[in-house]
Amino acid sequence: MGKVTGFLEIEREEPRYEPASDRIRHFGEFTIPLREAQVVDQAARCMDCGIPFCHGDTGCPVHNQIPDWNDLVYNGDWEEAARNLHSTNNFPEFTGRICPAPCEEACTLNLEDTPVAIKTVEQAIADRAIKSGWIKPQVPATKTGKRVAVVGSGPAGLAAAQQLARAGHDVHVYEREPKAGGLMRYGIPDFKMEKDHIDFRVEQMEAEGVTFHYGVNVGVTTPLSDLQRDHDAVLLAGGAEKPRDVDVEGKTFAGVHFAMPFLVQQNRRVGGEDVSGEFQLSAAGKHVVVVGGGDTASDCVGTSFRQGAIAVTQLDVRPMPPELENKLSNWPNWAVKMRTSSSQAEGAIREFSAGTMKIISDDKGHVTGVECARVDRKRQAIPGTEFIIKADLVLLAIGFAGPVQEGMLTELGAQYDKRGNLFADTMSYKTTVDKVYAAGDMRRGQSLVVWAIREGRQAARSIDFDLMGKTDLPR
């Protein structure tokens, strides 16, 4: 694939970023794309390896045919590369921006720490396809007469809705918020993905026949039973929004907040929504402590800098990982190694093996600091290692415990799995209630956008098969 000797002749190259001093002054995307010739060179590095792990389950949950579209880009056939890419992924411009690229971890060239820049090529193909007008609504030739409800318009819900509409069903998406996108719109900051990409896909889907109903909180403002009565099938794709609680003294002090309200409010501001009636969450002029070591914590770091934080410290209870993994024991799987996000590179102070012991306040009940201690491998505090970090704002970003069960899921009365997620298997995606299906984070727990797209596509196939007795939709 690509140029036979490309991986020997061409160095790996990735897009550059605007300098941190510049990019923290705005909330827009700051990646400087490669020129076309540079992208072609990167595609040319794709080698003719015996087993391309990059597009198996290990590397790509949606099974993008990566060697194929790399070869097409190398040979100048960008339009065919776009068709190939969209055959497995409804929204490659999303994943090209916000996927952590397990495909690159699984690349054979990663054995030499120089994987093909797959994510870069993917985004380039997707962006060129949109800019060139190659992405058009795919309106079904005939309608089936079946009506399907999709609850939630995150990546799983959007992918399922688009697939079902293209199969000829009358698809209705019910979304609690004023706009579609779920946490892609309201959780992921614009500096990682601007929201016009979502708007483009919504317009495409509306032209394909999908109807969006905004401001509908199923199970709260609208009974789920109404959807069950009025539709032939219901897909629940509402995400996993319940924050994992932290058992730490002082978490109720003023200035201590969970990550998502902080991120959501800022995304609403950037999107032009009115947040004047809400309690204003801002890091401006503050010392910020972010508790957590994952992507959400990193998003809090980048958002805090852009709001004008004086200093940002990120606490990770895990030990500092090695700079490089042991390839022979890890490859082609995702490796635990030192990774620095663009937000962390903007000036965050990172503390590893740092347990949060308690949050300290002044006599008015407002946070003034976080008492920490080094922890051992069992995450137990090591005596004598205590230290205090000054804080005016503490953001708890330690993940999600599963879907919110109050409201819609309580009304549904379906079975949960042992982790508290809505139970459904990965072949049928059926819950234990007739005609009700589940996909995405609501079914699998907190995960990646690319996994949500996969589940939405596969759930759509299952629903189409159950409604029609056959299906042409791919898995």
Side-chain angles (χ1 to χ4, degrees), residues 1-9 43-48 71 74:
M1 289 299 171
K3 186 178 183 181
V4 176
T5 57
F7 71 98
L8 296 172
E9 301 171 9
R45 296 187 67 246
C46 188
M47 61 191 296
D48 191 11
D71 185 59
Y74 169 63

Side-chain angles (χ1 to χ4, degrees), residues 15 43 50 131 133 188 282 313 315 322 333 365 367 379 406 412 427-428:
K131 185 177 180 180
I188 294 174
S282 176
T313 303
L315 304 180
N333 298 308
V367 61
R379 300 187 178 180
E406 295 78 18
L412 177 66
M427 287 300 295
S428 72

Side-chain angles (χ1 to χ4, degrees), residues 100-107 110 115 325 331-335 337 339:
C103 52
E104 294 188 15
E105 291 286 305
C107 177
N110 191 38
E325 75 274 28
W331 183 85
N333 298 308
W334 184 261
K337 62 182 177 182
R339 302 174 193 270

Side-chain angles (χ1 to χ4, degrees), residues 25-40:
R25 299 177 186 277
H26 63 82
F27 280 89
E29 293 181 15
F30 52 80
T31 300
I32 303 171
L34 298 181
R35 301 186 309 276
E36 178 181 329
Q38 292 174 298
V39 177
V40 170

